[in-house]
Amino acid sequence: MKASAASLPEVNFSDHGDTRYLHLGSEWIQGAMRLDDPYALDLEYVQRMMAWLLFVEPQSVARRHAMQLGLGAAALTKFCHKRLRMKTTAIELNPQVIAACRLWFKLPKDDSRLSVVLGDAAEVAAHPHWRGQVDALQVDLYDQEAAAPVLDSEAFYRDCRSLLTEDGCMTVNLFGRSASYERSLQRIRAAFGADAVWAFKPTREGNTVVLALREPQHPTRARLAERAEAIEARWGLPARKWLRVLRPAG
């Protein structure tokens, strides 16, 4: 989906207490950062976007590649790069968002492990360049109205699946007044296979995070609990809480 510079929304931020919020020309929150801990994940749904960690060995994480489609306030990008020490690639359509993240949200400059790319997520997903190279694909694509995902077709989700490594996982944020969660879930299930999809219960704010694995995995609850404890100990994410609200969506 192409967008001219003139059609892209104005980017601004607001501070409330110890939290800074990103806005795209409206009151809708597009991301957040704690001013006293800029590399933490502040919003509950953003923390849940890291639940792919339940499906990999913790010691393998730093050798993996994370990609974000949609930069937001760069929370996931910063966390994967700084805290998980992963190779991290972010794709963002709006150059103002990239500039805002560097000015106001502590997004580091590109380096040997970090690459922030100005580009169209649909084109990137369909292009062979990164095919089979992404271990953790995090999809959070909303415009200034936050009414529904900007990209939400079965074909797009098939392209997302093609980016993943054999044990790779996509996490996607589904939210919006015009969105149909069931319709989006059916498209993801059609693209990935019904037995490869897991889903959280919605957050209080209405965000539902869905996980889709390149190949189905059905770890025991004991294995998931073991992974959750390791995730909490290493990275401080509320992974044990995730297990109470995450289930196969097949």
Side-chain angles (χ1 to χ4, degrees):
M1 180 182 295
K2 288 289 186 185
S4 68
S7 69
L8 292 170
E10 179 185 356
V11 179
N12 58 311
F13 73 91
S14 62
D15 289 345
H16 295 280
D18 188 45
T19 303
R20 176 166 292 174
Y21 297 102
L22 178 73
H23 307 276
L24 300 181
S26 74
E27 75 277 9
W28 291 100
I29 292 170
Q30 300 283 345
M33 178 184 73
R34 280 176 22 210
L35 294 171
D36 67 345
D37 192 359
Y39 299 109
L41 297 180
D42 192 50
L43 299 176
E44 185 175 39
Y45 94 85
V46 178
Q47 294 173 349
R48 293 179 179 186
M49 295 285 281
M50 298 301 304
W52 60 269
L53 287 165
L54 292 166
F55 295 90
V56 299
E57 292 293 339
Q59 60 267 28
S60 74
V61 169
R63 300 191 299 272
R64 294 177 178 271
H65 179 196
M67 176 180 283
Q68 294 82 41
L69 300 182
L71 185 60
L76 290 168
T77 302
K78 293 185 299 183
F79 192 87
C80 290
H81 175 250
K82 284 281 192 180
R83 295 283 172 86
L84 303 187
R85 311 299 296 173
M86 298 176 73
K87 177 182 177 182
T88 307
T89 305
I91 311 298
E92 172 56 49
L93 184 66
N94 189 339
Q96 291 184 56
V97 169
I98 298 174
C101 286
R102 294 238 150 94
L103 283 170
W104 303 326
F105 290 89
K106 305 288 188 182
L107 176 65
K109 295 179 180 178
D110 285 7
D111 59 26
S112 60
R113 289 187 296 104
L114 175 63
S115 180
V116 179
V117 178
L118 181 65
D120 185 296
E123 292 180 2
V124 167
H127 197 279
H129 180 72
W130 276 294
R131 196 161 292 165
Q133 296 184 44
V134 179
D135 297 289
L137 181 66
Q138 298 164 313
V139 182
D140 194 4
L141 295 165
Y142 288 85
D143 63 14
Q144 62 268 32
E145 296 303 323
V150 174
L151 298 173
D152 189 42
S153 68
E154 181 182 333
F156 170 67
Y157 291 125
R158 287 188 185 279
D159 287 340
C160 288
R161 184 176 184 271
S162 75
L163 294 177
L164 296 176
T165 57
E166 188 174 342
D167 63 348
C169 179
M170 176 186 75
T171 53
V172 57
N173 172 37
L174 298 177
F175 171 80
R177 302 180 306 285
S178 303
S180 165
Y181 166 73
E182 288 297 333
R183 184 173 65 236
S184 298
L185 180 63
Q186 287 304 115
R187 290 168 180 168
I188 294 169
R189 284 160 47 100
F192 281 78
D195 58 347
V197 180
W198 297 60
F200 279 95
K201 293 180 180 178
T203 65
R204 291 184 301 276
E205 296 77 22
N207 299 81
T208 302
V209 172
V210 174
L211 286 73
L213 298 149
R214 173 68 189 249
E215 301 296 337
Q217 291 190 45
H218 298 286
T220 64
R221 298 304 288 184
R223 170 54 66 86
L224 288 173
E226 180 183 307
R227 291 257 176 87
E229 286 190 18
I231 291 165
E232 290 205 9
R234 285 173 180 246
W235 301 300
L237 294 168
R240 286 181 291 184
K241 183 180 175 183
W242 295 343
L243 299 184
R244 299 200 293 268
V245 288
L246 176 67
R247 293 290 183 273

